Amino acid sequence: MTASETATRETAQASQTAHRDPDIAIAGPILLTVFVLLAAWAGSFVMWGVPGLYVPAVALVPVMMGLLIWISRG
């Protein structure tokens, strides 16, 4: 076994470990969901103008209020 084979093997093991990290695995779908929702909101603004911008924001007020209550309860 040469030094280059050892380095290649360690690099391959490190890359496999990085792909199996559960924190990284869950971040992808969450970010994708956020980007899709923002794109949909931008699309509603393009289609319907200013009402397409503020109606979704007003509709999410009860959701945010519930989220704040849920966070504050611990």
Side-chain angles (χ1 to χ4, degrees):
M1 182 179 292
T2 64
S4 64
E5 290 175 357
T6 305
T8 305
R9 189 173 295 168
E10 289 174 0
T11 305
Q13 288 174 350
S15 67
Q16 288 177 354
T17 304
H19 291 294
R20 294 184 182 158
D21 187 12
D23 292 335
I24 294 173
I26 195 68
I30 291 173
L31 287 174
L32 180 63
T33 303
V34 168
F35 288 136
V36 166
L37 290 175
L38 285 174
W41 196 11
S44 72
F45 177 67
V46 169
M47 288 177 66
W48 295 297
V50 176
L53 183 66
Y54 68 78
V55 169
V58 171
L60 285 175
V61 168
V63 174
M64 290 296 119
M65 183 60 90
L67 182 68
L68 288 172
I69 292 170
W70 179 57
I71 290 172
S72 69
R73 296 197 62 179

